[in-house]
Amino acid sequence: MGEAPAFVADDLPGDYPNGFDLKSEGHNTVVNVGNKTYLIGGTDHGSKSTIEVRVSDKRTGGWVTPTVLGTRPKPSEVISAVILNEDRIFILKGDSSPDDCFWFLEIHHEQVDTPFVQEKRKEFGTEVVAWSKGVVGDAKKPIVISGPSGVGKGTLISALMKEFPSTFGFSVSHTTRAPRKREQNGVHYHFTERSVMEEEIRDGKFLEFAEVHGNLYGTSIEVVEVVADAGKRCILDIDVQGARSVRASSLEAIFIFVCPPSFEELEKRLRARGTETEQQIQKRLQNAKAELEQAESQGLFDHILVNDDLETCYASLKKLLDLDEAVEIINESSPPLVDLPRDHSVSKIDKKILISCGTRERASKNIFLLDLSSLKGGAPGRTRGLDIYTSDSMTNGINVAVEGDGEDLHEVEVIQEYEIEDEGPSIMK
Ligand SMILES: Nc1ncnc2c1ncn2[C@@H]1O[C@H](COP(=O)(O)OP(=O)(O)OP(=O)(O)O)[C@@H](O)[C@H]1O
Ligand SMILES: Nc1nc2c(ncn2[C@@H]2O[C@H](COP(=O)(O)O)[C@@H](O)[C@H]2O)c(=O)[nH]1
């Protein structure tokens, strides 16, 4: 038996407040989770238009604007919503492009939080919600490479990127340090002012950041997601503090620490590179000692590589990434894409979402199923692992592209075995 619809569009509270800059009629959605009501809808501030969120606690009344983290979706005229696990709301945007129709809004409900919302609630001391774009299919785990300055991380990463340009994408960090000769903005780093970066950190735009050798460095969420969205495996070159933060985040990654064969050799390489002043070299060497000690921390790094002979170290890196025999494969099969039409209805059945296309009056037989049982990640990045199944990918009028010969679609048969409640769709425009 299917669950009752998560909410209905008519469920607007009697005291639905005017005065919000949320568009009315259809552009908004109201979701009740326990004692809270979430009003989710579009605003139109010119180029800055995004979906906004207001929260009301039924016990205290009144509406608050929560701290909103993550990349906010652009408004849509048709928004459907389904509550998942009470710690997040699944948002479906009708009439949106395939890469923009599924979103998750992570919330706080009673004792239930996603780790990110929990951490940020403590940090901000406010009501916090966090957006995370839903992505069909999975992405290969990003690779975090750490190690003391001058050990050869950049050299190893460049070799990987050169040999496997379609497989890997580099996470271009932000830094407040000055560019070196031949370093290009946007390629080697996003060079930025400290005040700007600090503000972006406060806005929750960074997956991790750290003060390293007297400058601020950080990995923006956007940079990592842009690489993953391009179907590439992201490589992060970050210090040990950053690795620790990523380990604590929702980003599942492989963590590699690169060691020098000796401290003397590290110093030799740093000096030979000729990019730092004597004072900076001393600072980096001092920090290297601490980093080498921390590399031993239980559970932080999955692999430790000694970069003595470069070729040998590079071969070991490729081996642990299962690339030793590899020839780069371009255009691996991509996950199915779906255009969610403007008129659709949504029902929740366990961890599956059934979407029927068409209006209530002119119901269409076009349906597809979203399986949310293997979700991974979440704010501050993407929520991955959505699976789509469609009844008839070629003839049903939904623009669904499915790889393979169609056999994968046998799961769709299961749809007919579910009993969907008669109450109609959970929301319809
Ligand atoms: N195995 C190696 N043997 C000898 N020299 C090496 C080896 N690996 C790298 N190098 C050299 O050591 C210097 C430092 O390397 P690289 O810039 O890649 O270090 P890094 O770890 O990325 O440093 P940073 O953290 O400061 O960016 C470079 O001049 C590079 O050519
Ligand atoms: N925590 C982070 N550390 C970073 C990031 N980008 C680079 N780094 C580390 O900084 C040092 C110095 O780099 P350099 O280019 O000035 O030599 C090095 O250990 C890098 O790994 C980041 O985004 N976050």
Side-chain angles (χ1 to χ4, degrees):
M1 176 68 81
E3 290 179 17
F7 75 99
V8 287
D10 302 338
D11 202 9
L12 292 169
D15 57 349
Y16 177 67
N18 291 321
F20 283 151
D21 50 358
L22 297 175
K23 280 184 180 172
S24 57
E25 293 176 47
H27 301 265
N28 298 330
T29 274
V30 172
V31 188
N32 290 306
V33 189
N35 287 315
K36 287 191 185 152
T37 302
Y38 291 82
L39 179 60
I40 304 165
T43 60
D44 207 345
H45 296 310
S47 60
K48 283 204 161 171
S49 74
T50 55
I51 290 183
E52 300 289 334
V53 182
R54 304 288 182 271
V55 188
S56 175
D57 189 321
K58 290 174 193 162
R59 291 162 299 191
T60 51
W63 290 82
V64 294
T65 303
T67 303
V68 182
L69 301 169
T71 309
R72 301 169 195 209
K74 294 208 171 64
S76 163
E77 292 197 356
V78 195
I79 301 172
S80 310
V82 179
I83 302 161
L84 301 177
N85 304 336
E86 302 197 321
D87 65 358
R88 69 194 76 193
I89 301 167
F90 182 46
I91 305 285
L92 300 94
K93 286 171 58 187
D95 217 8
S96 300
S97 60
D99 75 335
D100 185 40
C101 50
F102 305 128
W103 288 80
F104 293 85
L105 184 70
E106 298 184 10
I107 58 172
H108 166 69
H109 169 59
E110 308 283 322
Q111 300 307 314
V112 190
D113 274 332
T114 61
F116 184 66
V117 168
Q118 193 173 62
E119 181 197 324
K120 294 296 168 186
R121 278 182 66 240
K122 277 191 213 139
E123 189 179 322
F124 290 100
T126 57
E127 180 80 38
V128 168
V129 295
W131 284 107
S132 168
K133 186 151 95 171
V135 176
V136 176
D138 217 342
K140 281 216 162 179
K141 283 185 181 177
I143 301 158
V144 170
I145 301 193
S146 281
S149 177
V151 74
K153 301 179 297 295
T155 308
L156 290 163
I157 293 169
S158 298
L160 262 188
M161 303 274 297
K162 195 169 169 208
E163 190 176 352
F164 302 98
S166 307
T167 305
F168 296 107
F170 185 58
S171 157
V172 181
S173 295
H174 284 61
T175 183
T176 59
R177 99 155 151 68
R180 294 175 186 143
K181 269 187 209 158
R182 286 191 288 279
E183 276 186 335
Q184 287 171 268
N185 192 24
V187 176
H188 299 92
Y189 279 105
H190 296 288
F191 295 101
T192 177
E193 293 293 322
R194 183 175 277 267
S195 58
V196 174
M197 191 164 163
E198 282 174 347
E199 192 177 335
E200 290 181 344
I201 289 170
R202 279 195 296 276
D203 287 347
K205 294 194 174 154
F206 282 83
L207 175 67
E208 64 76 33
F209 59 90
E211 191 79 36
V212 189
H213 319 312
N215 285 297
L216 198 51
Y217 292 77
T219 309
S220 76
I221 294 158
E222 190 186 348
V223 154
V224 174
E225 296 304 350
V226 161
V227 173
D229 290 349
K232 295 189 181 184
R233 194 167 182 185
C234 189
I235 306 184
L236 289 80
D237 174 346
I238 58 177
D239 85 321
V240 175
Q241 307 169 75
R244 212 179 281 285
S245 303
V246 176
R247 194 47 116 177
S249 80
S250 60
L251 191 82
E252 278 183 61
I254 292 179
F255 294 78
I256 300 170
F257 187 83
V258 186
C259 274
S262 67
F263 203 75
E264 292 68 36
E265 173 64 16
L266 181 71
E267 181 166 358
K268 206 169 106 191
R269 285 182 198 171
L270 252 187
R271 290 191 188 287
R273 190 170 69 182
T275 47
E276 272 73 35
T277 62
E278 180 56 30
Q279 202 186 14
Q280 286 164 341
I281 289 174
Q282 289 307 330
K283 187 167 211 166
R284 284 176 183 238
L285 288 173
Q286 197 59 38
N287 292 340
K289 286 188 187 140
E291 291 199 287
L292 289 164
E293 275 167 28
Q294 287 172 42
E296 309 284 315
S297 301
Q298 205 63 29
L300 182 51
F301 291 100
D302 303 308
H303 307 277
I304 296 194
L305 283 180
V306 179
N307 183 16
D308 190 351
D309 172 65
L310 183 58
E311 262 184 45
T312 311
C313 183
Y314 182 56
S316 305
L317 176 62
K318 288 204 295 180
K319 193 164 192 318
L320 74 83
L321 296 175
D322 277 334
L323 292 165
D324 44 343
E325 307 272 317
V327 179
E328 187 164 51
I329 299 163
I330 302 168
N331 287 337
E332 276 189 275
S333 63
S334 45
L337 295 175
V338 63
D339 278 326
L340 185 63
R342 191 175 191 286
D343 295 318
H344 65 270
S345 61
V346 179
S347 310
K348 181 172 171 252
I349 311 148
D350 298 326
K351 292 200 167 168
K352 295 185 173 63
I353 306 289
L354 186 69
I355 301 171
S356 308
C357 302
T359 60
R360 204 187 287 250
E361 296 75 31
R362 287 187 6 129
S364 131
K365 66 182 171 67
N366 304 335
I367 51 176
F368 58 92
L369 186 76
L370 275 179
D371 187 344
L372 307 182
S373 55
S374 309
L375 295 184
K376 285 191 191 128
R382 302 276 191 265
T383 299
R384 299 188 183 278
L386 277 83
D387 286 322
I388 294 186
Y389 301 96
T390 171
S391 54
D392 183 350
S393 63
M394 307 309 290
T395 58
N396 67 5
I398 307 167
N399 180 14
V400 179
V402 180
E403 292 286 328
D405 56 12
E407 281 177 17
D408 294 351
L409 304 181
H410 70 277
E411 284 262 357
V412 170
E413 304 300 323
V414 176
I415 294 173
Q416 273 108 47
E417 288 170 27
Y418 290 118
E419 275 184 61
I420 311 294
E421 297 206 355
D422 278 351
E423 294 154 68
S426 54
I427 182 164
M428 238 178 197
K429 170 71 180 92

